[in-house]
Amino acid sequence: MTDLAALDADAALLAILGTDEGRADPYPHYARLRKVAPVHHSMVGAWVVSTFEASQVVLRDPRFGKDFTAQAQRFGLSESDMEQLLAFRRERRTMLFADPPDHTRLRGIASKAFTPRTVEALRPHVERLTHDVLDDLADAADPADFMATVAFPLPVTVIGELLGVPTDDRPPFQGLVRRAAIALELNMTPEQMVDAQAATMEMEAYFSDLIAERRRAPGDDLLSALIGAEDDGQRLTEMEVISTAILLFGAGFETTTNLLGNGLLALLEHPDQLARLRRDPSLVRPAIEEILRYDSPVQMNGRIALEAVEVGGRLVEAGAAVLTIIGSANRDEARFVEPDRFDIGRDEGPSMSFGSGIHYCIGAALARMEGQVVLGALLDRFGRIELATGTPPYRNSLTLRGLAELPLHLEPA
């Protein structure tokens, strides 16, 4: 790679990480990265991979792992800050940041609640819950905020019921999870790191108390199953139970919330596709897949090279952190025809929005089902759905991409 290409790639990366405009619309900068340096040793020290094929290699090859070092590479943290982040995470090992055999053990216990058959059995209940939140949306003052009325309450209810978190305890978790999730962002500040850890510890205290209750009186929920697996000798420590519960609860609503908001916005910004879906409701399944590809709720994922590996013609040295840009891979011209075109009938195979390899999202089937149910019911219920403002604001984050609000004008069908 020429020095000019490396500078060009770093400029694109800086725009994504360092500017509000770049975070609001990173896709032109992703395209620049794919063109000038698809596998780039960046100014932040990590390798940045932006194409579909190279990202698949990194996420699937067992020579890349989830060692904490890869997750500690941050644009705004000093070496001492990163070491403090490492120490915090070492005490809280979850499947998100674990390699086999720990990952295999933790995922195996939780995965039973998320099989396609188990998820499909939940569909009628999710349909009833969706009817309730759409009642709330219909009754809301004009304009109605889809994010606050539907996109958060529905997923948090579904995952809350699965895990066994009481109804009255759920609302504060939106703020707590978002504060804690800042730790996934590449441009986290030292102050945000401290706040993210405080939010994590607040959730730990809550789940520690809830676990104690479930030990005294087990229920028919996933948290009780996690406790039982520990008691059955599968070696889940108390902290592993707590950390896994926090991961499943937070990931179970945050990414689905973003899927619902990003998806409805994409349809409203492409009225021809919205009209097409109204004419042919059977397109709801491919529509959800296209929404995931077009504006993925998760934009980035990290790994570390456990040994030297060649990726896209570049040698990634052992111990190097590697950042795969999923949002870019999903717009790769070498993988998708006219990737910047939103097409709900697209049939070119799955995107990378749920990752790949052994860390493929455990809740993918649940997120897809919730998206299908909500989108279908929304179009049945409302004959007019229009943006109440110009382009609504995205939250100031990049790894987890979602709207801050989505105000709508609505009329019943």
Side-chain angles (χ1 to χ4, degrees):
M1 181 190 302
T2 65
D3 291 342
L4 186 59
L7 288 172
D8 201 355
D10 277 338
L13 190 60
L14 184 60
I16 295 166
L17 297 177
T19 69
D20 293 340
E21 295 78 11
R23 287 188 292 278
D25 183 14
Y27 295 106
H29 305 294
Y30 291 163
R32 191 66 186 164
L33 279 173
R34 291 194 304 273
K35 181 177 181 180
V36 302
V39 179
H40 171 51
H41 195 209
S42 71
M43 61 182 179
V44 300
W47 287 84
V48 176
V49 176
S50 52
T51 64
F52 192 95
E53 182 179 1
S55 295
Q56 287 275 47
V57 169
V58 173
L59 297 183
R60 289 182 173 181
D61 193 316
R63 292 176 294 177
F64 290 97
K66 276 278 195 172
D67 183 283
F68 293 102
T69 307
Q71 305 303 322
Q73 298 294 324
R74 292 294 183 275
F75 187 62
L77 296 187
S78 67
E79 185 174 341
S80 61
D81 288 331
M82 289 195 292
E83 181 52 44
Q84 199 275 332
L85 177 61
L86 286 176
F88 189 81
R89 285 189 172 158
R90 285 190 191 102
E91 298 172 358
R92 295 159 174 84
R93 183 171 292 273
T94 70
M95 68 184 83
L96 186 63
F97 297 118
D99 292 328
D102 284 340
H103 172 267
T104 308
R105 174 173 55 89
L106 292 167
R107 186 181 176 103
I109 292 166
S111 62
K112 297 179 181 63
F114 298 96
T115 65
R117 177 180 294 182
T118 302
V119 167
E120 196 57 32
L122 292 171
R123 186 180 289 266
H125 183 53
V126 173
E127 290 172 346
R128 291 190 292 271
L129 294 173
T130 299
H131 178 81
D132 292 341
V133 295
L134 292 185
D135 282 347
D136 295 337
L137 188 66
D139 293 340
D142 183 55
D145 183 6
F146 178 77
M147 301 306 294
T149 311
V150 176
F152 169 68
L154 178 74
V156 80
T157 297
V158 173
I159 193 64
E161 289 183 356
L162 273 175
L163 198 57
V165 176
T167 303
D168 292 344
D169 294 349
R170 296 168 194 165
F173 275 92
Q174 183 176 28
L176 287 170
V177 167
R178 290 187 173 172
R179 286 168 56 199
I182 291 294
L184 299 174
E185 297 295 328
L186 290 175
N187 56 348
M188 175 175 61
T189 66
E191 293 76 20
Q192 287 173 324
M193 182 185 75
V194 171
D195 186 60
Q197 292 174 354
T200 299
M201 289 187 288
E202 188 172 340
M203 289 188 285
E204 288 171 355
Y206 171 83
F207 276 103
S208 179
D209 291 342
L210 187 58
I211 287 166
E213 290 182 20
R214 290 296 183 273
R215 288 190 188 280
R216 291 192 296 268
D220 184 20
D221 54 54
L222 181 54
L223 186 59
S224 296
L226 291 173
I227 296 166
E230 179 197 23
D231 291 341
D232 288 342
Q234 296 190 40
R235 297 196 303 271
L236 262 71
T237 66
E238 182 79 1
M239 182 55 76
E240 283 176 334
V241 176
I242 292 170
S243 297
T244 300
I246 292 172
L247 171 64
L248 293 175
F249 189 47
F253 73 79
E254 178 69 5
T255 52
T256 306
T257 293
N258 294 342
L259 164 62
L260 295 175
N262 296 359
L264 182 55
L265 178 61
L267 286 165
L268 294 174
E269 291 183 334
H270 298 84
D272 61 319
Q273 297 300 300
L274 179 59
R276 183 181 178 189
L277 185 56
R278 285 192 183 278
R279 291 192 304 269
D280 184 1
S282 70
L283 288 172
V284 69
R285 290 177 183 267
I288 291 298
E289 298 307 310
E290 177 68 346
I291 288 164
L292 286 163
R293 183 201 69 83
Y294 184 78
D295 200 13
S296 177
V298 179
Q299 293 276 307
M300 298 184 176
N301 209 324
R303 295 290 187 274
I304 189 167
L306 303 178
E307 58 185 87
V309 187
E310 185 174 304
V311 180
R314 304 293 303 277
L315 184 64
V316 177
E317 66 276 14
V322 183
L323 179 69
T324 59
I325 306 184
I326 292 171
S328 176
N330 286 344
R331 298 281 190 105
D332 188 350
E333 302 83 353
R335 178 65 178 78
F336 300 101
V337 176
E338 296 182 65
D340 292 327
R341 176 171 54 87
F342 182 66
D343 177 6
I344 65 170
R346 189 183 292 272
D347 184 17
E348 298 176 83
S351 69
M352 292 191 65
S353 296
F354 291 119
S356 192
I358 65 171
H359 287 278
Y360 184 81
C361 176
I362 195 171
L366 182 61
R368 283 187 167 108
M369 184 268 283
E370 291 182 63
Q372 294 160 11
V373 169
V374 172
L375 190 54
L378 186 70
L379 299 188
D380 280 343
R381 182 71 175 270
F382 300 101
R384 174 189 175 224
I385 307 172
E386 294 180 358
L387 286 172
T389 63
T391 302
Y394 281 88
R395 294 185 1 246
N396 190 27
S397 60
L398 186 58
T399 300
L400 299 178
R401 177 170 170 80
L403 296 169
E405 59 182 33
L406 182 54
L408 303 173
H409 294 307
L410 300 160
E411 289 181 2

